[in-house]
């Protein structure tokens, strides 16, 4: 969480992905930082699924730094 918040504040992270089962306190904190820095936030999947996808254990919050990749994710999510 700290690394993602720092990246958002430095304007290096273009999109934050939150697991749906992230704690409400963490969701509130990350949304606050993202709102203040005009960074998009989406909720997807579970901590277990996100961790499996990225190959790391127990990851609830992911920061995407590539603008084109984040735009592609947002387009896919908005299409439903």
């Amino acid at each position: 969480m700290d690394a993602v918040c720092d990246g958002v504040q430095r304007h290096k992270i273009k999109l934050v992905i939150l697991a749906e089962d992230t704690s409400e306190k963490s969701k509130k904190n990350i949304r606050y930082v993202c709102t203040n820095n005009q960074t998009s936030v989406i909720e997807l999947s579970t901590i277990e699924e996100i961790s499996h996808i990225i190959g790391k254990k127990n990851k609830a919050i992911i920061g995407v730094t590539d603008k084109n990749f984040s735009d592609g994710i947002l387009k896919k999510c908005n299409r439903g």
Side-chain angles (χ1 to χ4, degrees):
M1 171 127 164
D2 293 336
V4 172
C5 286
D6 183 56
V8 169
Q9 291 170 336
R10 291 176 177 223
H11 302 285
K12 294 193 181 270
I13 292 180
K14 310 303 181 201
L15 172 66
V16 173
I17 301 172
L18 289 173
E20 293 170 344
D21 53 348
T22 303
S23 74
E24 290 303 317
K25 181 179 177 184
S26 293
K27 285 181 184 181
K28 181 180 176 182
N29 289 339
I30 199 73
R31 287 184 187 283
Y32 177 80
V33 171
C34 289
T35 299
N36 287 339
N37 291 281
Q38 294 85 35
T39 303
S40 298
V41 180
I42 58 172
E43 284 190 45
L44 293 175
S45 200
T46 64
I47 293 172
E48 183 179 334
E49 289 173 339
I50 288 174
S51 297
H52 177 74
I53 290 167
I54 65 170
K56 303 265 185 179
K57 291 184 180 179
N58 201 31
K59 299 299 175 188
I61 304 168
I62 301 172
V64 179
T65 57
D66 185 89
K67 176 83 169 114
N68 291 327
F69 188 53
S70 65
D71 288 346
I73 292 170
L74 287 170
K75 282 181 186 177
K76 285 285 186 187
C77 289
N78 289 336
R79 285 187 200 167

